[in-house]
Amino acid sequence: LGLALYAGSLCAVSGATFLYHDYCVIGAGPAGLQAAYFLQQAGRDYVVFERSHAPGSFFALYPRHRKLISINKQYTGKSNSEFNLRHDWNSLLSHDRRLLFRHYSRDFFPNADTMVRYLEDFASLLKLQVQYNTAIIHVTLEKNEQAWNGHYFLLTDQDRKNYKCSSLLVAAGMWVPNVVNFPGSEYVEGYETVSINPEDFAGQTVLILGRGNSAFETAENILGVTNFIHMVSRSRVRLSWATHYVGDLRAINNGLLDTYQLKSLDGLLEGDLEDLAIVKDKKGKLHITLRFYLENRNISKGIDSITLPQDELDNFATRAPYDRVIRCLGWKFDFSIYNRSLRMMPGKGNIKKYPQIKPSYESKGARGLFVLGTASHSVDFRKSAGGFIHGFRYTTRAVHRLLENRHHGVPWPSTVYPVTQLTNSIIKRVNEASGLYQMFSVLADIILLRENATAFEYLEEYPIGVLAELEMQTGRKAHNGLFVIIMEYGRNFSGADKDVFYYNRAVGEAQHAWQSNFLHPVIYYYKHLPTEREMKLRPPDWPLPRPDAIHHIVEDFLTDWTAPNAHILPLRRFLENCLSTDLRNFFAESCFLFAFTHQKLPPFCQQGYLRMQGLVGSQELWHHAVQAGLLQDYTHTDFSGDRPPDSHDGSQEQLMRDHAIPVRPLQHLVNAKDE
Amino acid sequence: MSAQKDRWVPSVVFLLFCASSIPRSGSVGLQQEPSPQHYFSGLEAGRASLAFFSPSVSAGAQPFLEQIESSAEALQDYGISVVKVNCPKEDVSRYCGKENALRKAFLFRGTRLIREFPTDALFDVNSIVANVLFALLFNEVKYVETLADLENMENVLKGKSNMVFAYVPATGTAEHRAVMEAAFVYGTIHQFVLTTEAALLKATSHDDPDVSSAWLLFCHCQQATDPAQPCRRTALGQPLTLLNIHRHLKLMGAPLVTEVAEDPEKVSTVHLQLGLPLVFILSHKETYEADRRTAEFVAWQLLGKAGVALLSRDLVDLNVLHRSNIALKTPDEGMPIQYLVLEDTDEVITLVEDKNKVKQIQEDEQEEEGEEEDEKENNNQDIQDDQVVEAVSRDKKRELPLEQILVLTEENFHSSLLEAARTVVLFYASWEAVSLAVLRSYSDVAAHLKGTSGVVLSRVNCWDWPGLCSQENVTQFPTIRIYKEGQQSATYDGMWGTEELSSFILLSQVSCPLKLATVDEAEGYLRGEFPSELSSHRHTSLLGVFSTATGEAREAFEEAGNILSGHVRMGMYFEDDALALSRKYSVSPPALLLARSGGRSVEGITLSKPSVQDMVQMIRYELLDVF
């Protein structure tokens, strides 16, 4: 009968009328609204489905203790809005300056209610097309050769209303609680429903299953009133300040680590939850035992017959009975609403809670289905910030750009600059770009060189996992080589058991830049676009295959990479070596000299001076350049006469001293690389 | 035919290699023949001659004649005489009579006409020699067009004779001549094949060839036994000149491996004579067969680059290490023979191809010094060699007088622009050297223009306000824009210097060209007194004078004004009494008056070309300083 009913409903579906949209977005959380914003800006036909009556329903409930662990920095000492987004982990991207999170909360770790309010404003101020109270309960495919992707997506909501879309953006988040089934798991309370009133725990002994931020947040809340808290999970605790991954245990939640290490009764244990069993005694106390013992028990004899570990090993760690056991095991993606034809498969290993997607965020099973937001974190799980607002706001933008190119012929936005601006454009981006910084090693800026390297095209924040498909995905041509700019931590610096405070952890000198540990820019040079195969065969943990040349900009304590000698000069030398050109700047006077003595002029002279846009400079600057031995002094006699005679000797001496440094000044000036 | 050639060959070889130094007896050059009858009667059987006919008085063919005359000498070497036949006026025979026959040259063998050439195919000595030889050596040099033709030719020749295949980008070139001259000598020994098809070049060479340069292959077809395999090929690695081709063919003709049984110091082969090294493979009786195979393999690899000899150690008493297996003799006089121990044949090949390698091995001890030098070089890499960056960073402690310059931000940008009639905005980045150099000039400009009403100087630091800069479409640093009542009106595209910038800002205050209403204004304008905004600006003034009738020239002038706006001081006058003004300076409208140095001298130019381009060009030219 069930089968018949199911078949019947299918018929109804195929006979029903459909509301059509080009784009359907499931979920009006941060990622769904962010996607909606870009679709709206591009003037696309889209709709967002939200099961609740308001956006951000997850944040209306979670985190239970209401404190967000994403930072909301009010002050950075800078007015650069792009730079400031590096330290604003809650705002979504928009053109509206009112929609910055710092206007909503002054707290460094804001309250979750503020997030809900912010999301409501974001949806309403920007007039996003959100259809509330619509829970999508089934998604299937309809083959059609006319469709963008060879099929339409058919969505059914709780009222059996049907929708048809050409492209489906899944921003449904991760909201199905992870549960473990073991004998006695019925005595376990879930994080979703457990009391958040500390008084309910006064004088109790608590066992918490799990070792994530939700577990520690729960413990933190009741730490002061319980007898003691024990925490058990399979894996060791991973501290985010050691792993440089924001999803690991954050310092704001880790008060229990203190009390454990100071022997204040609380404690941490490792063990597989699958082997666990809980039994309740007559007084209502909960005892920990092993599944293994339960399998041999005699059912009729009740609790007393069950072997407890301490019966055999009398110093067993969790031998004390507990009053409560709380499960804080995180969430997983809701796979249940997708028809088998969509082939939404869970990932393998530690990413099995996420759906399988490609590095372009497109589902591996169904073309045209993109996963956005926290559910797309399998791409950079435990690495970068793609599972969090401050990361996926950029990956969502990247997906939008891919879609614009694929379906509407709008190529990836880019700017063309003359080659003289090459060093500048890189320096500008590595200093202010937020997408590169948050989504380090995932999103990259791409510089596509034009013929003869006289000009280049700058593309921002492209997902490097699909670098090989760049031409197809962006509609831009990469025939003459390219630079890829990403940010990286040192290879062996981050990790769960690494000491990240060792002496000499920071590198200061430019020549040791490749050993930099903290987040720093890295520039890869490829003469040809890497192929699909090269991408596949790249060494594990390398974001990109072996380049023709690579350059690390040395890590900086202030993350300010504008020092002329430590940052810009080595970068310029690298670019010059890759392109065999001279990227120095010159005063008009030097260009004038070159014009008479060289067949080919450096680009700066060629694109400036020769077009009557040379840099004249001022007396003081010429004087400095002459002192440095970098400019020939034809006017020296002119202005030395102007100076009072007593200062003359001193400057002469200065001149001598400066000339004594082992730069061969004229050679440097005259040996412009014109071969 | 072959009988003739036998006569030619020795003389040609003699000529080729000695001729240049030996003064030839008798005068070789253009023979003058008084008449066609005389010419035809004098032709010897079997002897080729190139003739052209010209009426006794001829002017048009002069450059051609010069080329023919200078080629006569070269063709003489191949036994071809060059004759100029004077046609008598009344002659209407085959060669003299027709007008178009006079534009041709004719090649005869005996009295038989072989080929006629239009004179434009004979544009210089190279083309004349190449084309004439090409016609004479019709059988010796095959021209192929397709790969199939070439393969057929190759298959026919297999086991019989070798083939020389040449690609030239075009006939009549110097390379073509070199190939033909070589064919003249070697045509009986090897089969020459010529093409101008780029497709054939691509099919026969390995990597991407340059279709504009010639290419020559020696195909060893004589020894080729397998009909399915193409013949082995050896390319000529040098430019196609007669000497290089000759050298190449000589090397190909030498035995692949020479067996020697004497002291290597005394051995001399054709390779050494031609300036190439000779590699000895030191062989032992026991391993003779293997050594012989190795020697042959190496010889094929080095063909054309070095000679290979097989030296039997058992027959010669050598005072060298027993392990040594290779000896290298270079053609340089006095260089000792190097004895080396090499692991495989690749090393032998790199030894020859890259002589530097040898030096490195020998100079092992000196290497450490070299490394130190390298380190010094690396240190130089750390030293700033960008004059602008270095000058700016040395100047960074000096505080700039920037009080005159308004600081704009995202908040006050639009409101500030509305407050002044004109706002100059410098968009810059505070970390960028060129920007900072320009900021210094800009602060000088601010001092210059202090007190100028109606102009506000301001700046936006794009490092602080990236949103504002991208919204204003500023993609390069620095950028200077002038905003007129909040609207962007001009982007500066001149020199980044104080003077140029001040002048631009001043000139941008008035429209360009400025319409003058009265003769007094026009006169004042020429004196530099009107308008008052520009009274401090001492540059040449330009005044266009138009009678109302000349609309087209006026429009062009206005358009030119738009283009030159900010760089040139331009006025225009087109009232009814324009004629009076123009008469004063003795020009007739449309005309241009140029007032240099404050109106003391006024120069008048009549505008003849009403195109905008010409006008801009002319104005720019007129404004250039006297050099």
Side-chain angles (χ1 to χ4, degrees):
Chain A
L1 185 70
L3 198 72
L5 265 179
Y6 182 61
S9 72
L10 259 186
C11 288
V13 166
S14 53
T17 50
F18 296 95
L19 282 160
Y20 175 80
H21 292 283
D22 284 347
Y23 293 94
C24 289
V25 184
I26 302 183
L33 294 180
Q34 185 69 82
Y37 169 74
F38 290 120
L39 290 168
Q40 174 126 327
Q41 286 295 105
R44 303 296 166 215
D45 169 30
Y46 77 95
V47 67
V48 183
F49 299 113
E50 169 57 47
R51 64 190 149 108
S52 173
H53 62 281
S57 54
F58 185 87
F59 288 98
L61 278 173
Y62 307 116
R64 292 296 314 283
H65 304 89
R66 308 315 282 150
K67 189 183 260 189
L68 296 175
I69 53 174
S70 40
I71 62 173
N72 172 42
K73 216 163 157 44
Q74 300 276 306
Y75 307 103
T76 62
K78 291 195 167 74
S79 63
N80 187 316
S81 49
E82 177 70 19
F83 175 88
N84 286 346
L85 276 176
R86 289 182 174 186
H87 307 291
D88 173 352
W89 293 6
N90 296 292
S91 299
L92 294 176
L93 302 178
S94 76
H95 60 275
D96 193 334
R97 279 191 291 154
R98 289 172 296 174
L99 289 169
L100 285 176
F101 208 81
R102 62 188 161 93
H103 300 317
Y104 285 78
S105 170
R106 301 188 65 80
D107 298 332
F108 189 49
F109 293 107
N111 190 289
D113 294 334
T114 318
M115 176 55 77
V116 176
R117 192 157 56 83
Y118 173 80
L119 294 175
E120 275 168 13
D121 275 9
F122 192 87
S124 62
L125 281 175
L126 296 169
K127 303 192 170 57
L128 303 178
Q129 304 293 318
V130 186
Q131 188 173 320
Y132 294 106
N133 302 313
T134 309
I136 300 300
I137 54 160
H138 191 245
V139 181
T140 183
L141 285 182
E142 179 193 86
K143 286 263 178 283
N144 188 322
E145 289 192 1
Q146 306 294 309
W148 289 353
N149 297 297
H151 49 243
Y152 288 111
F153 295 93
L154 303 184
L155 279 62
T156 309
D157 72 6
Q158 78 279 15
D159 302 326
R160 300 279 160 207
K161 265 196 224 144
N162 298 306
Y163 309 89
K164 188 180 202 170
C165 325
S166 293
S167 190
L168 180 63
L169 307 181
V170 176
M174 311 260 291
W175 57 274
V176 180
N178 266 322
V179 288
V180 191
N181 280 314
F182 51 80
S185 58
E186 65 270 21
Y187 305 122
V188 174
E189 297 171 82
Y191 171 78
E192 313 84 63
T193 51
V194 72
S195 162
I196 54 167
N197 183 3
E199 283 173 21
D200 295 346
F201 297 87
Q204 295 189 344
T205 304
V206 179
L207 178 72
I208 296 178
L209 309 179
R211 191 158 292 176
N213 275 300
S214 61
F216 275 91
E217 165 205 324
T218 308
E220 189 85 14
N221 185 44
I222 55 176
L223 200 56
V225 292
T226 50
N227 298 337
F228 55 81
I229 305 169
H230 285 166
M231 267 183 156
V232 61
S233 84
R234 184 184 336 191
S235 58
R236 301 188 37 196
V237 65
R238 296 166 51 90
L239 298 161
S240 68
W241 47 258
T243 58
H244 300 109
Y245 170 64
V246 287
D248 283 330
L249 178 60
R250 303 283 299 282
I252 178 179
N253 281 333
N254 69 8
L256 186 126
L257 295 182
D258 251 25
T259 52
Y260 167 51
Q261 293 289 1
L262 300 177
K263 294 310 286 173
S264 301
L265 294 176
D266 300 322
L268 267 71
L269 298 144
E270 282 80 42
D272 199 337
L273 298 183
E274 300 279 347
D275 298 337
L276 204 69
I278 292 174
V279 287
K280 199 173 195 169
D281 66 15
K282 287 163 195 151
K283 291 179 225 155
K285 298 269 182 191
L286 301 167
H287 295 263
I288 302 297
T289 182
L290 300 175
R291 186 191 279 260
F292 163 75
Y293 293 127
L294 260 65
E295 274 155 13
N296 305 328
R297 73 169 178 165
N298 190 334
I299 301 165
S300 59
K301 284 190 183 164
I303 175 87
D304 297 334
S305 71
I306 298 169
T307 320
L308 294 175
Q310 52 265 41
D311 299 344
E312 287 176 358
L313 186 69
D314 58 9
N315 65 345
F316 180 66
T318 53
R319 59 188 180 272
Y322 296 97
D323 295 300
R324 299 178 105 152
V325 179
I326 308 170
R327 155 178 63 73
C328 306
L329 296 171
W331 288 269
K332 60 184 180 191
F333 183 74
D334 178 15
F335 289 93
S336 67
I337 63 170
Y338 303 94
N339 183 280
R340 278 182 53 186
S341 59
L342 278 87
R343 289 184 287 163
M344 283 289 261
M345 304 293 279
K348 295 193 176 70
N350 65 1
I351 53 168
K352 65 173 182 287
K353 56 182 171 177
Y354 298 110
Q356 276 188 5
I357 53 173
K358 300 181 198 168
S360 60
Y361 299 91
E362 189 166 13
S363 157
K364 281 189 179 166
R367 191 177 149 85
L369 190 158
F370 286 83
V371 179
L372 305 176
T374 190
S376 69
H377 197 23
S378 60
V379 170
D380 59 339
F381 182 59
R382 286 194 178 158
K383 288 190 187 85
S384 201
F388 311 90
I389 295 175
H390 63 290
F392 65 62
R393 61 191 182 202
Y394 301 106
T395 58
T396 302
R397 179 160 67 185
V399 168
H400 171 68
R401 287 171 174 168
L402 295 177
L403 288 169
E404 284 290 298
N405 178 57
R406 186 193 284 187
H407 298 311
H408 310 287
V410 180
W412 195 281
S414 75
T415 319
V416 178
Y417 300 93
V419 74
T420 48
Q421 295 291 318
L422 185 58
T423 324
N424 280 353
S425 52
I426 294 175
I427 290 292
K428 175 182 148 73
R429 285 287 295 168
V430 300
N431 276 295
E432 67 183 24
S434 176
L436 289 187
Y437 191 82
Q438 313 286 25
M439 292 306 295
F440 59 88
S441 306
V442 176
L443 295 182
D445 280 7
I446 312 274
I447 290 177
L448 301 176
L449 294 161
R450 291 283 173 89
E451 212 171 335
N452 301 326
T454 51
F456 63 92
E457 199 170 8
Y458 203 104
L459 277 66
E460 294 178 1
E461 293 168 19
Y462 180 77
I464 46 172
V466 283
L467 184 63
E469 301 161 20
L470 180 111
E471 295 198 335
M472 186 263 284
Q473 296 280 17
T474 64
R476 305 282 176 191
K477 293 277 163 277
H479 295 326
N480 300 292
L482 64 154
F483 290 103
V484 179
I485 297 139
I486 59 173
M487 306 273 250
E488 286 178 8
Y489 277 100
R491 287 258 177 275
N492 300 310
F493 185 49
S494 317
D497 42 6
K498 295 274 166 66
D499 174 11
V500 286
F501 296 107
Y502 67 91
Y503 270 110
N504 301 324
R505 61 189 171 276
V507 171
E509 283 174 64
Q511 72 209 61
H512 302 130
W514 61 278
Q515 293 171 313
S516 296
N517 282 322
F518 288 94
L519 197 61
H520 64 279
V522 185
I523 294 116
Y524 290 70
Y525 173 61
Y526 294 95
K527 287 182 186 150
H528 306 283
L529 196 62
T531 59
E532 208 77 58
R533 195 181 131 80
E534 283 168 332
M535 286 299 286
K536 238 178 240 146
L537 294 179
R538 66 182 194 257
D541 291 335
W542 278 61
L544 287 168
R546 183 175 292 278
D548 290 300
I550 190 168
H551 176 72
H552 291 253
I553 301 183
V554 69
E555 59 184 323
D556 191 84
F557 193 57
L558 300 173
T559 64
D560 177 349
W561 288 282
T562 60
N565 290 321
H567 302 138
I568 302 179
L569 176 64
L571 172 66
R572 198 194 78 213
R573 294 230 189 273
F574 167 75
L575 299 172
E576 285 175 338
N577 286 336
C578 291
L579 305 179
S580 347
T581 185
D582 184 345
L583 295 175
R584 285 179 291 177
N585 304 307
F586 293 98
F587 289 115
E589 200 171 307
S590 301
C591 292
F592 178 71
L593 178 70
F594 289 152
F596 284 100
T597 54
H598 288 68
Q599 287 189 326
K600 210 176 140 206
L601 267 63
F604 186 84
C605 292
Q606 217 163 20
Q607 298 179 358
Y609 180 76
L610 289 194
R611 294 183 189 164
M612 303 267 283
Q613 292 168 30
L615 177 67
V616 178
S618 64
Q619 292 257 315
E620 292 89 356
L621 293 180
W622 293 335
H623 181 64
H624 286 304
V626 169
Q627 279 203 331
L630 294 169
L631 183 67
Q632 256 175 324
D633 183 13
Y634 295 115
T635 53
H636 181 66
T637 42
D638 282 2
F639 62 82
S640 69
D642 296 345
R643 240 178 283 121
D646 54 347
S647 76
H648 193 250
D649 279 351
S651 74
Q652 201 75 302
E653 219 169 82
Q654 173 72 23
L655 215 67
M656 297 286 286
R657 203 157 357 105
D658 282 328
H659 274 285
I661 55 171
V663 202
R664 288 171 291 269
L666 298 185
Q667 230 165 338
H668 266 261
L669 187 66
V670 177
N671 283 354
K673 298 155 191 164
D674 62 349
E675 281 85 39
Chain B
M1 179 79 200
S2 70
Q4 295 154 16
K5 194 127 356 104
D6 289 341
R7 212 178 65 223
W8 286 345
V9 170
S11 71
V12 166
V13 172
F14 172 73
L15 281 169
L16 278 177
F17 300 106
C18 329
S20 55
S21 56
I22 299 172
R24 254 161 280 160
S25 54
S27 88
V28 184
L30 194 58
Q31 293 173 26
Q32 292 284 339
E33 290 292 340
S35 71
Q37 287 85 0
H38 191 256
Y39 169 67
F40 284 114
S41 63
L43 288 175
E44 289 171 43
R47 197 170 153 80
S49 74
L50 181 70
F52 61 96
F53 298 82
S54 78
S56 18
V57 270
S58 154
Q62 208 52 47
F64 162 66
L65 277 185
E66 281 168 22
Q67 296 299 331
I68 278 276
E69 257 169 63
S70 43
S71 67
E73 206 171 307
L75 285 175
Q76 192 73 31
D77 296 345
Y78 301 99
I80 302 160
S81 54
V82 181
V83 186
K84 179 181 178 229
V85 183
N86 287 326
C87 290
K89 251 185 200 161
E90 64 283 2
D91 195 332
V92 285
S93 65
R94 184 179 165 198
Y95 297 107
C96 284
K98 287 176 209 136
E99 183 61 25
N100 56 352
L102 298 177
R103 298 234 171 77
K104 284 181 178 158
F106 298 89
L107 181 67
F108 294 95
R109 175 174 289 144
T111 50
R112 198 161 59 90
L113 174 65
I114 297 180
R115 189 82 177 271
E116 46 189 76
F117 299 104
T119 52
D120 53 2
L122 307 178
F123 44 88
D124 65 358
V125 179
N126 285 336
S127 64
I128 293 168
V129 176
N131 280 313
V132 168
L133 290 180
F134 199 16
L136 284 177
L137 299 177
F138 182 73
N139 286 318
E140 284 79 4
V141 181
K142 294 283 182 212
Y143 185 83
V144 293
E145 279 180 345
T146 63
L147 191 59
D149 288 350
L150 181 68
E151 278 163 0
N152 281 342
M153 185 77 74
E154 209 173 316
N155 287 335
V156 169
L157 289 173
K158 266 177 198 162
K160 290 177 195 144
S161 84
N162 293 326
M163 178 169 87
V164 178
F165 168 70
Y167 161 82
V168 290
T171 58
T173 54
E175 290 91 353
H176 183 206
R177 177 183 170 184
V179 173
M180 294 320 302
E181 286 180 312
F184 196 89
V185 184
Y186 288 96
T188 43
I189 308 165
H190 308 303
Q191 176 65 52
F192 277 68
V193 177
L194 184 77
T195 190
T196 55
E197 298 294 324
L200 271 175
L201 168 70
K202 281 178 190 139
T204 52
S205 62
H206 287 299
D207 30 48
D208 215 11
D210 175 13
V211 292
S212 64
S213 61
W215 156 260
L216 185 135
L217 273 181
F218 187 87
C219 309
H220 305 264
C221 293
Q222 206 163 22
Q223 297 133 296
T225 45
D226 186 355
Q229 287 287 321
C231 312
R232 272 175 189 270
R233 293 162 173 177
T234 313
L236 170 64
Q238 290 139 318
L240 256 67
T241 64
L242 181 55
L243 200 62
N244 284 341
I245 297 174
H246 166 69
R247 211 170 85 121
H248 193 62
L249 296 182
K250 213 58 181 160
L251 288 171
M252 296 303 119
L256 193 60
V257 175
T258 323
E259 296 214 28
V260 287
E262 56 176 326
D263 184 359
E265 296 286 357
K266 292 179 192 144
V267 173
S268 178
T269 65
V270 66
H271 302 96
L272 289 168
Q273 288 150 18
L274 289 172
L276 293 176
L278 183 62
V279 176
F280 292 92
I281 310 279
L282 306 186
S283 153
H284 293 275
K285 210 192 293 169
E286 297 79 18
T287 58
Y288 176 79
E289 274 309 312
D291 292 336
R292 167 107 208 153
R293 278 198 300 276
T294 312
E296 273 174 15
F297 177 79
V298 171
W300 276 115
Q301 303 292 315
L302 291 177
L303 200 55
K305 295 167 200 149
V308 176
L310 192 62
L311 177 69
S312 179
R313 287 195 69 158
D314 308 306
L315 299 175
V316 187
D317 188 24
L318 284 176
N319 189 21
V320 292
L321 280 179
H322 190 70
R323 291 192 296 133
S324 299
N325 50 10
I326 296 292
L328 182 70
K329 184 173 184 180
T330 53
D332 317 328
E333 288 278 327
M335 275 285 284
I337 290 179
Q338 297 167 16
Y339 290 93
L340 304 152
V341 184
L342 297 182
E343 293 292 328
D344 58 21
T345 52
D346 284 350
E347 284 184 42
V348 183
I349 290 150
T350 42
L351 175 77
V352 174
E353 287 180 350
D354 193 355
K355 290 245 188 68
N356 301 336
K357 289 250 164 78
V358 187
K359 279 181 193 151
Q360 251 182 24
I361 296 164
Q362 290 170 338
E363 290 165 11
D364 243 358
E365 304 100 288
Q366 292 166 16
E367 218 163 76
E368 271 171 42
E369 276 178 29
E371 255 170 42
E372 266 167 40
E373 262 180 21
D374 278 355
E375 239 164 65
K376 264 185 209 160
E377 292 250 307
N378 282 341
N379 283 342
N380 279 350
Q381 293 279 303
D382 301 342
I383 291 168
Q384 185 60 261
D385 56 354
D386 186 313
Q387 51 183 247
V388 180
V389 174
E390 183 64 20
V392 168
S393 68
R394 282 176 184 230
D395 197 44
K396 72 180 167 202
K397 290 205 175 143
R398 186 171 64 95
E399 205 171 312
L400 290 178
L402 295 173
E403 311 82 48
Q404 308 291 330
I405 302 170
L406 186 66
V407 178
L408 297 182
T409 68
E410 228 158 68
E411 276 84 35
N412 69 3
F413 184 76
H414 293 286
S415 57
S416 301
L417 291 188
L418 290 172
E419 278 166 24
R422 276 183 180 74
T423 311
V424 186
V425 186
L426 167 67
F427 294 93
Y428 71 105
S430 52
W431 49 265
E432 201 254 335
V434 176
S435 288
L436 295 179
V438 168
L439 188 61
R440 279 158 177 77
S441 301
Y442 195 61
S443 76
D444 293 341
V445 172
H448 275 256
L449 298 181
K450 195 174 170 187
T452 311
S453 62
V455 181
V456 172
L457 265 63
S458 66
R459 61 190 166 111
V460 174
N461 184 353
C462 292
W463 169 223
D464 288 333
W465 309 105
L468 178 58
C469 294
S470 64
Q471 181 193 315
E472 293 297 310
N473 212 7
V474 173
T475 56
Q476 291 192 29
F477 310 127
T479 295
I480 289 183
R481 294 244 170 91
I482 297 187
Y483 289 78
K484 195 169 152 188
E485 283 141 15
Q487 294 300 306
Q488 186 182 318
S489 78
T491 302
Y492 182 63
D493 61 352
M495 293 285 281
W496 297 108
T498 312
E499 243 178 80
E500 293 85 351
L501 203 48
S502 308
S503 156
F504 180 80
I505 293 168
L506 276 179
L507 287 172
S508 300
Q509 282 179 282
V510 295
S511 55
C512 184
L514 180 67
K515 291 191 182 71
L516 300 166
T518 66
V519 175
D520 283 346
E521 272 186 12
E523 296 280 1
Y525 174 80
L526 286 174
R527 282 194 303 275
E529 290 159 8
F530 181 83
S532 55
E533 290 100 320
L534 300 187
S535 55
S536 63
H537 185 260
R538 299 254 153 258
H539 281 290
T540 306
S541 303
L542 271 166
L543 179 62
V545 183
F546 305 95
S547 60
T548 37
T550 51
E552 200 185 338
R554 209 185 80 201
E555 276 164 28
F557 186 73
E558 281 180 277
E559 186 55 39
N562 281 338
I563 292 170
L564 295 168
S565 171
H567 298 289
V568 182
R569 182 172 183 176
M570 283 168 78
M572 61 190 291
Y573 188 70
F574 51 89
E575 296 304 320
D576 297 339
D577 47 359
L579 267 175
L581 185 72
S582 58
R583 216 169 286 137
K584 181 180 169 189
Y585 296 103
S586 55
V587 287
S588 63
L592 198 60
L593 298 177
L594 272 112
R596 297 185 206 271
S597 51
R600 260 173 279 145
S601 71
V602 177
E603 191 186 322
I605 301 163
T606 307
L607 287 174
S608 49
K609 292 180 196 160
S611 102
V612 179
Q613 275 309 319
D614 292 338
M615 211 173 285
V616 169
Q617 195 65 42
M618 186 198 74
I619 293 170
R620 283 210 173 116
Y621 181 74
E622 288 296 334
L623 289 178
L624 287 179
D625 285 328
V626 180
F627 198 58

